[in-house]
Amino acid sequence: MTEERKPPRGGYPQYPPWPMIPQPYPYGYPPMAFTPEDELRMLESYRDMLEAQREMLEREIASVEERINELQGMLEEGAPTPPQPPYPAWGPPFFWTPPTMTPEQERMMLEQQAEALERQIEAIKKRLEELKKGES
């Protein structure tokens, strides 16, 4: 006759009772306690990033408003609209390509990208200077 096996008290056979099980940290490492200086630097950096995003969004809003005004002026003047290609009811054919940008639109887009990259380079240089001052 075989005797019935029971797991030891405390749960699974490989674990000790509950109070002795170490509780793991979330994500595998202990939570960091920021010093006020660290938190200040982190929040200042975050604020700078948000300000850069605000500037970018304000420029984009201005360009959209400019285009809206331009289109409203065209409609008020009664300018003819370009003919639309005939599409089937289910949409454009699979070989259809979206219209390309005009040279002016491409120039504006590239200028905005250049400004964004310049701001990022300035922020990187600023951080490098801070790190150099910290090493001294």
Side-chain angles (χ1 to χ4, degrees):
M1 180 167 162
T2 60
E3 117 184 16
E4 185 177 336
R5 297 183 67 196
K6 293 183 182 178
R9 286 185 51 218
Y12 295 103
Q14 67 269 21
Y15 291 103
W18 181 79
M20 296 172 62
I21 297 175
Q23 298 298 313
Y25 293 112
Y27 310 112
Y29 53 86
M32 293 178 56
F34 290 114
T35 63
E37 294 85 12
D38 291 338
E39 188 173 0
L40 178 65
R41 273 197 310 272
M42 179 182 67
L43 291 174
E44 286 174 345
S45 173
Y46 186 59
R47 182 192 60 204
D48 294 342
M49 182 187 73
L50 290 175
E51 287 175 356
Q53 288 178 353
R54 178 191 303 161
E55 291 172 8
M56 191 168 49
L57 288 173
E58 287 173 352
R59 281 195 306 275
E60 191 169 343
I61 289 170
S63 68
V64 168
E65 288 175 348
E66 180 182 326
R67 179 66 178 156
I68 288 172
N69 292 335
E70 180 182 326
L71 290 172
Q72 285 175 343
M74 288 172 59
L75 291 174
E76 289 171 1
E77 293 172 6
T81 58
Q84 298 295 316
Y87 290 131
W90 57 85
F94 66 90
F95 54 83
W96 178 78
T97 57
T100 58
M101 291 188 285
T102 64
E104 181 179 331
Q105 290 173 331
E106 185 177 6
R107 181 185 53 78
M108 288 175 54
M109 181 191 70
L110 292 173
E111 286 175 354
Q112 289 175 352
Q113 287 178 352
E115 289 175 8
L117 290 173
E118 287 172 0
R119 281 195 309 276
Q120 289 177 353
I121 289 172
E122 289 173 9
I124 290 170
K125 287 182 180 178
K126 179 181 173 185
R127 182 65 180 143
L128 286 173
E129 290 175 8
E130 290 174 359
L131 291 172
K132 286 179 185 175
K133 289 178 184 177
E135 290 175 358
S136 299

